[in-house]
Amino acid sequence: MARSEKLVYFFGGGKAEGKASMKDLLGGKGAGLHEMTRIGVPVPPGFTITTDVCGYYYAHKHRYPKGLEKKVGDSLHRLEEIMQKKFGDPSSPVLVSVRSGARESMPGMMDTILNLGLNDQTVQGLIAKTKNPRFAYDCYRRFVQMYGDVVLGLKPRDRNERDPFEVMLERKKEKRGVRSDTELNAEELKELVSEFKAEIKAQLGKEFPEDPHEQLWGAIGAVFGSWNNPRAIDYRNLYRISHAWGTAVNVQAMVFGNMGENCATGVAFTRDPATGQKRLYGEFLVNAQGEDVVAGIRTPLAIDKLKEIMREPYGELDRVAKVLERHYKEMQDIEFTIERGKLWMLQTRTGKRTGFAAVRLAVDMVEERIISKEEALLRIEPDQLNQLLRPIFDHQDKEKAARDRRVLARGLPAGPGAATGRIVFHADDAESWNKRGERVILCRIETSPEDIRGMDAAQGILTARGGMTSHAALVARQMGKVCVAGCEALDIDYAGRQMRVDGTVLKEGDWISVDGTAGEVIQGEIRTLPSEVLQVLITKSLDPKASRVYQQFAKLMKWADGMRQLGVRTNTDQPDQALISMAFGAEGIGLCRTEHMFFEGGRIRAVREMILAEDEAGRRRALAKLLPIQKKDFKAILKIMGSLPVTIRTLDPPLHEFLPKTEEEIVELARIMDVPVEALKNKVKILHEFNPMLGHRGCRLGISYPEITEMQAQAIFEASCELRKEGLNPFPEVMIPLVGSRQELHMQREIVERVAQQTMKAYGVRIRYMIGTMIELPRACLVADEIAQEAEFFSFGTNDLTQTCLGLSRDDAGKFLPSYVVQGVLPDDPFVSIDRDGVGRLMRIAVEKGRKAKKNLEMGICGEHGGDPRSVVFCHEIGLDYVSCSPYRVPIAKLAAAQAVLRDRRLR
Ligand code: ADP
Ligand code: MG
Ligand code: MG
């Protein structure tokens, strides 16, 4: 009994003992009922048994705290006074619902029982009062059905068995030759009540309890018990909701939507939760009760129809919806019942929404002066902005596919968005099919760097293996591609050019659709619509004035820009990506990887020659072929970025990644290089490493082969000097990777510095430039003060820093990391969100030592974490200057950076 001695909170008659802020104690549903009562919204009276009682119940072998029984009895009396009817009164009974409700809503996970208090006597009272036997028996059979299921436990025994009550109901309808429940008459419903009770007796050996008080306590126990039913536990695990919170129980006087044609029940949102449009949005059913609307027994009607058939109650609903939205200053998701033309509210909560709706709601509400810009910025989940950038499936087309059972499998939603195309299994097929105008989905067991161009050519990427940080996922995010990764159900047969999903065989060329937001794989073609934001910014095929989505997105970004302190750059290796970065308003490039350029076209051959050369002279010959290519690439990127900083990393990956693998490739290369095939094979073998991640890579390459660094520096500075001569003002930052000691950086720096000076002298111009290092080894963090002596900037390479700090290979972690997170060994996947306690602490050390040694040392982050909202907040906290992320995550990083400032302020 931690928080409160008070076990029960009453609401009704315009007064309430609880309020909106008491969600923890009263649950979300309870707090909403109390608050609505307080502000004069029509709510049937009732009372809430607190979540603390639930805690007690589980701590004391399903017993209740002393005094609860009396409190419940007293509250029931107050309820009876307001309703002017008595619970269990055979002449005029009040009926109640017993409703679950935890701190956070867990839709459909726990139980609710309606019409409690009915028995063979009280049902007569209900008939006498309402003169409506059909209604009374409809309530009664619903009550016995719900109570029999939830409290007494008459349920289907396995997933092949149907709900026993539904089976009996079905049989009755068949016998009477009717389709809908509403067509059954009083007599038939009365028969059902007896049949239900008899079935309970037969199956469970239990009598149905006739005493209303026994019914009530049975229901209260069942609701507390439902907190720990398996589906509720699963749900909490999935959404990381604490198992310790417990549920509250709400006991509330019943109002009836099933009394006849002037009655209804429904659910609504105060705005459209898919688009954010300002209009009452929802569904209802006439002459129905409770979950009928969502249960799919009858097809509900759109709320506009209510306006036609029940004008006054609709007007009242519209009014109350506005009152609630103004009061909560948030879109509300509401449940209501109309009893003989009178509106009653039964629930209100903050409505869940899509990314589109989130942006529209936030911006609209600022313009309607409901919330401030700051509040609007805080309301949107940064990741939700993704949805505004991705192609989208036509909603109706996709729903039809689901109805037709074409959803074949699920994987990880690695690259959000919608893609539809024909199946190909090889990257080069993706390219050639794409060239002849086909849309394709590249389906692979997993992807590797050689697949890059095929991935680029594909509409979407689907892999059978790999996690959220697998190669496919990483590249997809950087490219803004739709991707479903790790879809284990796929059995891909490259040779047979087909894949099997359960019983379905999909062949090369078949149509398939991939929903990277939901992680779904769907058979056949589904219509897609392009993102309006991209049409305005990138393809320029849409007039910004014609797109509200774009305008609101732009407005939000402007507010974020005005608020944030962190700079936002992008990880960009190619000119087309640089253009996209600029369109999104990136403030520079934080990581340009030079090796990606090596894979393109005929370049790989020169790279291989360089690697396999016998001596320095041979290497220099090969490097001379690469120089003009690299220079051209750098020039194109630097030109696009104007005077913004472009951080270019010198060669980083282990050399063997570039080597020929197949016999064919080796033979061909030997011919070109004019060396014996055996000698080449031997060389390839020598380059093999047992642990390449910790092997001959990063600055170690430049130290073994200074001529590589020299060539790269030359390419960078020649490109820059030429642009300078053209009147531009390029700003390269040369970044040396994997430095662990001052001496390493010193040696590489000397080369770069020398080439810079020579080149500028040769061109007769001066350019701005910086030399710095990537901080990605624990040692670099610990000796950051020494390294800072040689650096003008640090950029945290948090991918490798995470691997080296945790001693965890990202490519091998998939086998155990997910279960680590589920079991709580690690709070999150450290490759997705910065491990604050480990990696984060190293970063803090490096920032502190670095700044102490050099006050104006520039500091940023270029790992994948730069686009993760929580990691962005951390970067703000430790005082970095900028984050760098993939181009399509720029808006997300900007919003997260603005939120970091706002949260900071709120704390102070
Ligand atoms: P859930 O948490 O699954 O939404 P609720 O407790 O909200 O369950 O109950 C489901 C539905 O039952 C409500 O939307 C409402 O239609 C109906 N209901 C609950 N309590 C009452 C009541 N006191 N009077 C009339 N209908 C009720
Ligand atoms: Mg509800
Ligand atoms: Mg690295």
Side-chain angles (χ1 to χ4, degrees):
M1 308 306 292
R3 279 171 296 245
S4 169
E5 291 298 310
K6 202 169 153 59
L7 309 174
V8 176
Y9 286 70
F10 190 82
F11 59 90
K15 293 205 197 78
E17 293 174 345
K19 55 183 175 216
S21 59
M22 293 166 72
K23 261 186 172 179
D24 295 0
L25 190 64
L26 304 179
K29 194 183 290 166
L33 291 169
H34 285 261
E35 188 74 10
M36 286 197 289
T37 305
R38 248 170 212 280
I39 63 171
V41 167
V43 175
F47 54 90
T48 308
I49 305 173
T50 68
T51 56
D52 278 352
V53 174
C54 186
Y56 184 100
Y57 175 84
Y58 279 109
H60 296 82
K61 301 191 179 135
H62 298 192
R63 264 196 285 273
Y64 299 113
K66 210 167 77 219
L68 182 70
E69 206 163 327
K70 178 164 182 331
K71 284 277 179 272
V72 168
D74 292 349
S75 304
L76 204 52
H77 283 309
R78 287 176 73 178
L79 185 155
E80 289 172 337
E81 270 163 32
I82 294 175
M83 298 300 287
Q84 299 188 340
K85 287 180 198 161
K86 281 198 156 29
F87 185 61
D89 181 350
S91 57
S92 173
V94 67
L95 304 185
V96 297
S97 64
V98 179
R99 316 173 63 187
S100 57
R103 193 189 293 195
E104 277 189 32
S105 89
M106 299 166 47
M109 292 301 129
M110 291 185 297
D111 295 321
T112 283
I113 293 154
L114 305 182
N115 309 326
L116 189 139
L118 280 174
N119 57 30
D120 291 341
Q121 281 81 51
T122 55
V123 75
Q124 294 308 329
L126 197 59
I127 293 169
K129 266 286 177 214
T130 60
K131 316 256 180 305
N132 188 344
R134 193 207 166 270
F135 154 72
Y137 279 108
D138 185 46
C139 291
Y140 199 6
R141 75 93 191 156
R142 286 170 185 271
F143 170 53
V144 177
Q145 180 169 352
M146 273 185 264
Y147 199 93
D149 168 4
V150 172
V151 185
L152 303 176
L154 183 57
K155 294 173 196 288
R157 273 163 302 202
D158 59 55
R159 60 180 195 176
N160 299 320
E161 202 173 286
R162 293 189 49 214
D163 181 85
F165 295 106
E166 286 302 327
V167 171
M168 287 183 272
L169 186 61
E170 198 79 349
R171 233 187 275 139
K172 182 69 62 187
K173 284 193 280 188
E174 253 164 47
K175 208 167 137 209
R176 311 309 316 176
V178 298
R179 301 249 306 279
S180 163
D181 300 1
T182 47
E183 293 170 84
L184 291 175
N185 63 28
E187 194 50 40
E188 288 149 6
L189 292 167
K190 186 178 173 185
E191 287 164 20
L192 271 178
V193 170
S194 318
E195 286 162 23
F196 283 177
K197 286 182 176 176
E199 185 71 7
I200 290 168
K201 179 81 202 272
Q203 295 294 331
L204 307 172
K206 291 182 209 168
E207 291 294 341
F208 189 86
E210 296 283 320
D211 173 13
H213 288 277
E214 187 187 339
Q215 292 172 355
L216 178 62
W217 284 100
I220 292 170
V223 169
F224 281 140
S226 70
W227 174 253
N228 273 344
N229 72 35
R231 63 169 194 257
I233 291 174
D234 286 348
Y235 184 91
R236 291 198 294 274
N237 284 337
L238 194 62
Y239 290 93
R240 310 237 182 122
I241 293 174
S242 165
H243 297 295
W245 287 351
T247 182
V249 176
N250 300 288
V251 178
Q252 187 177 23
M254 282 301 297
V255 289
F256 301 100
N258 56 335
M259 265 187 188
E261 294 303 306
N262 56 353
C263 303
T265 182
V267 294
F269 289 82
T270 56
R271 305 195 184 201
D272 185 331
T275 65
Q277 194 189 348
K278 191 175 180 182
R279 60 165 178 148
L280 195 59
Y281 178 95
E283 293 178 327
F284 74 101
L285 275 175
V286 172
N287 196 10
Q289 191 178 53
E291 306 284 59
D292 289 3
V293 177
V294 276
I297 301 167
R298 278 188 279 156
T299 311
L301 305 170
I303 208 84
D304 291 338
K305 192 85 187 158
L306 188 67
K307 196 174 182 173
E308 285 170 32
I309 60 180
M310 291 186 208
R311 242 197 130 66
E312 257 174 59
Y314 174 86
E316 177 68 355
L317 178 67
D318 193 43
R319 185 191 70 81
V320 168
K322 290 194 172 97
V323 166
L324 287 173
E325 196 182 87
R326 281 269 157 188
H327 182 72
Y328 282 98
K329 302 185 194 307
E330 249 296 19
M331 187 238 291
Q332 296 296 295
D333 168 354
I334 56 187
E335 296 176 1
F336 65 91
T337 283
I338 295 166
E339 177 181 313
R340 290 177 168 160
K342 168 149 177 59
L343 175 79
W344 293 96
M345 299 307 295
L346 292 166
Q347 193 166 339
T348 191
R349 63 186 157 205
T350 299
K352 297 250 190 302
R353 64 206 68 181
T354 65
F356 287 94
V359 170
R360 178 160 183 181
L361 279 169
V363 176
D364 280 355
M365 284 190 174
V366 171
E367 277 159 11
E368 293 165 29
R369 296 176 186 279
I370 298 173
I371 57 173
S372 65
K373 284 177 191 158
E374 287 78 7
E375 180 62 33
L377 286 167
L378 284 168
R379 284 255 174 109
I380 299 164
E381 282 284 338
D383 273 325
Q384 282 192 312
L385 291 178
N386 244 328
Q387 290 174 31
L388 275 70
L389 309 182
R390 309 292 170 165
I392 38 179
F393 277 132
D394 183 286
H395 199 61
Q396 287 173 346
D397 225 26
K398 182 159 177 220
E399 278 187 353
K400 180 167 182 329
R403 278 200 305 277
D404 296 348
R405 299 184 182 279
R406 277 157 45 207
V407 180
L408 295 177
R410 265 167 217 284
L412 300 168
T420 193
R422 300 174 68 180
I423 296 172
V424 294
F425 294 104
H426 297 281
D428 46 355
D429 291 337
E431 269 185 277
S432 58
W433 288 48
N434 179 251
K435 276 213 188 84
R436 54 170 212 251
E438 298 276 7
R439 285 181 296 159
V440 297
I441 304 291
L442 178 62
C443 304
R444 302 281 306 162
I445 295 172
E446 54 202 339
T447 62
S448 72
E450 296 106 293
D451 298 332
I452 295 260
R453 278 169 307 139
M455 295 168 82
D456 197 30
Q459 303 290 314
I461 298 151
L462 174 61
T463 65
R465 279 199 225 127
M468 291 292 276
T469 54
S470 63
H471 179 263
L474 198 121
V475 172
R477 279 198 293 276
Q478 176 159 1
M479 289 180 171
K481 286 278 166 199
V482 175
C483 175
V484 170
C487 186
E488 307 265 352
L490 305 183
D491 182 5
I492 298 182
D493 170 11
Y494 286 137
R497 296 196 175 238
Q498 63 174 40
M499 62 182 175
R500 198 179 280 279
V501 193
D502 282 333
T504 312
V505 175
L506 299 165
K507 293 202 166 55
E508 183 180 83
D510 287 352
W511 283 91
I512 193 175
S513 300
V514 181
D515 185 334
T517 311
E520 289 166 348
V521 181
I522 304 148
Q523 190 174 14
E525 191 178 0
I526 296 179
R527 252 202 319 276
T528 59
L529 307 169
S531 138
E532 290 185 15
V533 172
L534 294 195
Q535 287 186 51
V536 172
L537 288 177
I538 313 293
T539 62
K540 318 250 189 241
S541 53
L542 183 64
D543 179 359
K545 285 200 272 313
S547 168
R548 204 208 51 257
V549 172
Y550 169 74
Q551 285 186 5
Q552 295 199 316
F553 168 81
K555 209 168 267 178
L556 191 79
M557 283 298 107
K558 214 172 111 206
W559 297 342
D561 286 345
M563 192 58 59
R564 70 192 160 89
Q565 286 159 11
L566 277 171
V568 176
R569 300 188 189 180
T570 62
N571 298 353
T572 284
D573 309 334
Q574 275 138 13
D576 56 340
Q577 289 175 4
L579 281 171
I580 296 170
S581 304
M582 289 298 275
F584 279 128
E587 295 156 311
I589 290 177
L591 176 62
C592 176
R593 282 169 286 210
T594 51
E595 61 271 13
H596 280 203
M597 302 171 177
F598 285 7
F599 278 107
E600 291 205 3
R603 301 167 179 195
I604 188 71
R605 205 175 286 153
V607 176
R608 286 172 178 167
E609 282 181 47
M610 185 252 311
I611 296 167
L612 296 165
E614 277 304 321
D615 50 17
E616 189 185 323
R619 256 190 315 276
R620 282 192 182 276
R621 267 199 305 280
L623 284 168
K625 292 186 199 168
L626 287 171
L627 175 66
I629 301 172
Q630 289 235 295
K631 180 171 149 186
K632 190 165 146 261
D633 286 338
F634 292 147
K635 200 170 163 184
I637 290 175
L638 286 162
K639 189 168 182 175
I640 291 166
M641 298 309 290
S643 56
L644 296 173
V646 176
T647 310
I648 301 172
R649 180 178 72 183
T650 53
L651 194 63
D652 180 54
L655 292 180
H656 75 94
E657 275 193 16
F658 302 101
L659 288 178
K661 295 200 175 65
T662 63
E663 179 79 19
E664 257 179 0
E665 284 177 318
I666 293 178
V667 170
E668 195 204 340
L669 191 66
R671 192 173 46 77
I672 292 167
M673 290 177 69
D674 195 20
V675 293
V677 172
E678 278 316 306
L680 198 60
K681 272 193 187 158
N682 208 32
K683 184 88 194 193
V684 171
K685 209 182 278 165
I686 288 168
L687 280 169
H688 169 82
E689 289 180 309
F690 289 102
N691 197 342
M693 180 190 110
L694 302 176
H696 200 183
R697 55 168 291 216
C699 66
R700 298 158 196 171
L701 294 172
I703 287 173
S704 308
Y705 310 118
E707 54 280 9
I708 299 179
T709 308
E710 197 179 286
M711 180 280 286
Q712 294 201 297
Q714 203 173 336
I716 294 166
F717 287 102
E718 285 186 10
S720 303
C721 288
E722 285 176 16
L723 288 172
R724 186 80 194 92
K725 287 203 114 145
E726 292 170 22
L728 293 176
N729 196 13
F731 186 11
E733 298 183 355
V734 181
M735 177 159 74
I736 310 297
L738 214 75
V739 163
S741 72
R742 176 177 179 171
Q743 184 59 12
E744 283 173 320
L745 184 56
H746 177 76
M747 288 165 72
Q748 290 289 286
R749 182 191 178 91
E750 270 196 331
I751 299 170
V752 178
E753 193 69 63
R754 174 169 48 77
V755 173
Q757 294 303 329
Q758 281 170 0
T759 312
M760 289 192 298
K761 198 159 164 213
Y763 279 84
V765 292
R766 298 212 63 81
I767 56 157
R768 278 189 310 163
Y769 68 94
M770 292 209 272
I771 301 172
T773 180
M774 213 155 157
I775 300 288
E776 49 189 337
L777 293 177
R779 191 178 198 283
C781 298
L782 300 175
V783 301
D785 45 349
E786 291 170 28
I787 291 175
Q789 306 292 339
E790 304 284 344
E792 274 101 51
F793 68 87
F794 282 177
S795 174
F796 288 96
T798 45
N799 295 349
D800 273 329
L801 190 57
T802 300
Q803 297 203 88
T804 51
C805 172
L806 277 83
L808 196 66
S809 150
R810 183 169 72 180
D811 297 331
D812 299 312
K815 293 197 179 75
F816 57 90
L817 202 52
S819 89
Y820 260 47
V821 176
V822 170
Q823 293 184 60
V825 181
L826 288 172
D828 281 298
D829 182 336
F831 295 109
V832 173
S833 200
I834 285 178
D835 157 42
R836 284 180 173 237
D837 294 342
V839 176
R841 212 166 285 183
L842 282 173
M843 290 171 75
R844 279 183 198 275
I845 292 171
V847 169
E848 198 176 302
K849 284 180 175 272
R851 287 249 161 86
K852 204 174 259 173
K854 199 176 262 181
K855 220 175 82 219
N856 56 354
L857 190 69
E858 181 190 78
M859 295 209 219
I861 177 176
C862 63
E864 275 278 295
H865 301 92
D868 165 61
R870 277 177 299 169
S871 307
V872 171
V873 171
F874 178 73
C875 293
H876 171 85
E877 275 173 34
I878 63 171
L880 298 192
D881 297 303
Y882 68 86
V883 297
S884 187
C885 56
S886 60
Y888 288 90
R889 293 195 78 83
V890 166
I892 293 165
K894 283 183 165 185
L895 179 57
Q899 291 184 346
V901 175
L902 290 166
R903 296 227 174 85
D904 238 16
R905 276 197 206 157
R906 289 208 168 168
L907 285 180
R908 284 205 208 105

